[in-house]
Amino acid sequence: MKSGGRVFCCLPTRREMTAVSVGMNYQGTGRRSQALGTSWLPRSRHRQPEMGHLRGAGRATSPRSLQHLFLFLLFIGPFNCFASYSRATELFYSLNEGLPAGVLIGSLAQDLRLHGVAAEGPPTRRGEPVLSFSLASQGLGGQYVSLDNRSGELHTSALQIDREALCLETGVGSAASLLAPSSEPCLLLLDVLVLPQEHFRLVKVKIAIRDVNDNAPHFPVPNMRLWVTENAPVDTRLAIEHPALDPDLGTNAVQTYRLQDDYGVFTLDVEENESGERTPYLIVMGALDREAREEYVTLIIAEDGGTPPLLGSATLTIGISDINDNCPQFSDSQLNVTVYGNSSAGTHVATIHAVDMDLGSNAQISYSYSQKVPQPSRDLFHLDESTGAIKLSSKINSDAPRLHRLTILANGPGCIPAVITVLVSIIKVMLRPPEVVPRFIANEVEGVVYLKELEPVNTPIAFFTIKDPDEKYKVNCFLDGNGPFKLSPYKPYNNEYLLETTRPLDYEVQQLYEISVVAWNSEGFHVNKIIKVQVLDDNDNSPVFPQQLIELSIEENNAPNAFLTKLHATDADSGERGKVSYFLGPDAPSYFSLDKTTGVLTVSTQLDREEKEKYRYTVKAIDSGLPPRESIATVTITVLDKNDNSPRFINKDFSFFVPENFPGFGEIGVISVTDADTGQNGWVALSVVNGSDIFVIDTGKGVLRAKVSLDREQQSSYVLWVEAVDGGDPALSSTAKITILLLDINDNPPLVLFPQSNMSYLLVLPSTLPGSPITEVYAVDKDTGMNAVIAYSIIGRRGPRPESFRIDPKTGNITLEESLMQNDYGLYRLLVKVSDHGYPEPLHSTVMVNLFVNDTVSNESYIESLLRKEPDINIEEKEPQISIEPTHKKMESPSCVPTLVALSIISLGSITLVTGMGIYICLRKGKKHHRADENLEVQIPLNGRIDLHMLEKKPMEISNI
């Protein structure tokens, strides 16, 4: 029942605790291994549950008892609902971190042994409800796993599990999941609810995340420094404060350390404490000497135990700290010096110097007199304890000893002092030396005179007054030293000298001069006055390029802002005057850039050699003097060719018209192709690519030729694909279509198709009317155009009256022109010439048309014999008439007079008939000649004799009936 938004249990349930521990060893196949551990179920009076869940079983109760029980349940129902939540089960799984989505972790239904309860589908026939599984809350655990609500199968989700990231955090999800601390096994905890109410369980699922070697060791700092004293004994162990870290566990964590270079004096050892932490130790394996080497730099490498192992490294600097193992030493054991007896107090006598190879306080040296040095010598000569400088403490008395032996000790901490002896000889001087008093004209600071370069000649520097303190000796003066200077007496004054320049000074040649003004008297006493002259720089030099013409080259299609060169100009001036800046000249294209400070010359755009091959412009180098000075150089840039252009045909399609029977290897045409590249990249080779072995191309000239003579009647046109390939690497290519059209020439005479033989004949009946078609000559010509236009003509005749037949020049139809008489019987032979209209010379063929005029053919063998015996027709000769012998014998006339009368009558009738037919034929000829005049008839000479063949023996009968 439902009350106040809460659900109360309506059936009594027995409190029951079941603990099932199931282990899973995942090996990447998604299959669950054999369950580990045991399952515990408390014994009860009830029988064992069927189908894997518990159901009550007892004696039957009466209806009255059921009513009391129902009231009792209404009272204790809410409490019993709480009791049902105590039915908790715990499952344990383990899997590797980093697995992909969809890997099976385990099946809750199987591991809880819920086989008897329907896990999917509608309720079973026994009324058992369908189980459902759900997470108690979508906490952290729900991000890494997906739970099938029906089957209870747990799978990995799309979010991969990272054990190191997961176990660094500790906490409890909102009643759903918690993460154990990183020191404990990494567990992912889930609370799963099994419903419906009568099978309710709260399943606590623990998933142990096993570590894989997915992290390389790394040191917390990239550079480490370790100090070792140079007197450290062998086997000295020094802990490295920053060991490598590896989030992985067990053998996947850091196992060993090693040095990339141990220099033969170091090694590493690893110590493991009780908590399993490994600390590397540096062990000294040999003698160290800081004075020989102050430090060692190497790499320390950490390696884990994974398969394969992963590495991490850091720089380890081993510094050798100094100890006081060296003492001061002098380079010489004795030093000899001289001092004039008239030297004043503070005169520098000598400076001693000892060296200690140690550092810092270990190398501090103090100087002191030995106890052997007498006190008068100590009083006369002052020794600086720090610098070792020896100076006169006071003037030298006349009764002072002429030789002083100064034994000086160099003291170091913890060392035996080094000893040096300084022998000071005092030269006794009875007279005072000359005096030199300078008065400077030029700028002078602490004895240094400053002059600008390019000062004019005879620039005055200083006046010097030379005098004798005793005023009894003559003093002379001269200049000692090298340089453009002179010292000359300054008249009219005595003992006055002027120091001046003899030529302009040049800072770039020499910056400092040291000269001495020496004065001496007649007694040989002399004194030096040292003068230093510092030359000041002036902006008198222009920047200088090493070469005035700077020749550069670059390949075309360069990358933007490509480096060309670094200009360098030198300026002999110093300071800002010698600082050079670089600028492009006004003739430089805008896409060239020159860095003002560094002189780096670049080009900002791609250069194209085909567009422009050479660039020439000026660059300037300007110094920072006042006023600035500059120099100019010329830059020439040659753009080197790159094979970036394919060969290009002047036309995409070439068409060549070639007369047939053109001789082999004759020039058909020239295929023009260009390549904008140069050199090897611009060399082009032509070839036919569509497999034709008839045509060839001259690569150098591009001339297309045919290996054989071409016949238009066999093939009227050819289509070729020609490829042009350049010589670049890689090579570029292009193709063009070549069409070769063969022009017809008159190389085929007409071919007579009918009649098929010169030995065939045709029967013509005498009753055939004039104008009737008798037969035809049919011919064809393989040529085209005018070369195939055929004309027919009769060039030879033979027969009783051969002019009785005519042929149409266009159609080849043979017609009868005149009526046939009795005397016209016999064999007619017409030599027909079949000629074309070819140019320049027409060709022709001939055929013999045989016509046999008679009523019947009674003797074929006789006619055939005539055809065989008949000689060839000669065009120049008139063909003789051929008469046919009568087949019946003549009747002998008993008298000549009747015969003559009969012949006269017949002749008159024949003349009348012939005259009438002649008029008729003339009229018809007039019409036919009018039609023939419209046609072009070309007379062609005969081409030799006629080959006669007997192809048909049966005669054809022509009749107008």
Side-chain angles (χ1 to χ4, degrees), residues 204-217:
K204 291 188 174 293
V205 179
K206 294 182 180 181
I207 303 175
I209 309 302
R210 289 198 301 266
D211 181 51
V212 297
N213 191 28
D214 58 344
N215 292 279

Side-chain angles (χ1 to χ4, degrees), residues 473-527:
Y473 300 99
K474 182 180 178 181
V475 180
N476 293 320
C477 183
F478 68 92
L479 187 65
D480 184 20
N482 296 324
F485 308 102
K486 69 178 180 178
L487 184 66
S488 57
Y490 189 72
K491 297 178 181 181
Y493 304 101
N494 294 325
N495 297 329
E496 294 286 343
Y497 293 85
L498 176 64
L499 179 63
E500 57 186 353
T501 60
T502 60
R503 67 173 184 269
L505 302 178
D506 191 347
Y507 174 86
E508 289 72 37
V509 176
Q510 188 170 345
Q511 294 86 34
L512 181 66
Y513 296 90
E514 188 172 317
I515 56 178
S516 297
V517 177
V518 182
W520 85 99
N521 58 18
S522 56
E523 295 297 321
F525 292 102
H526 66 274
V527 66

Side-chain angles (χ1 to χ4, degrees), residues 676-734:
D677 295 321
T678 186
Q680 186 71 18
N681 296 331
W683 182 85
V684 179
L686 298 173
S687 62
V688 179
V689 297
N690 58 339
S692 174
D693 57 353
I694 299 177
F695 299 93
V696 293
I697 300 178
D698 293 345
T699 298
K701 299 179 180 179
V703 177
L704 179 64
R705 305 175 188 275
K707 297 180 183 178
V708 297
S709 179
L710 304 178
D711 188 355
R712 189 204 63 81
E713 286 71 34
Q714 293 183 0
Q715 187 170 341
S716 61
S717 65
Y718 296 86
V719 176
L720 308 178
W721 288 96
V722 175
E723 182 182 36
V725 181
D726 62 22
D729 185 17
L732 301 178
S733 63
S734 61

Side-chain angles (χ1 to χ4, degrees), residues 764 774 794 797 801-807 814-818 820 828 830 851 853:
V764 180
I774 303 301
I794 298 175
R797 302 170 185 263
R801 194 153 52 95
E803 64 276 3
S804 300
F805 299 96
R806 178 183 177 277
I807 189 169
I814 297 177
T815 57
L816 180 64
E817 291 293 306
E818 299 176 357
L820 296 175
Y828 289 78
L830 305 178
L851 303 176
V853 178

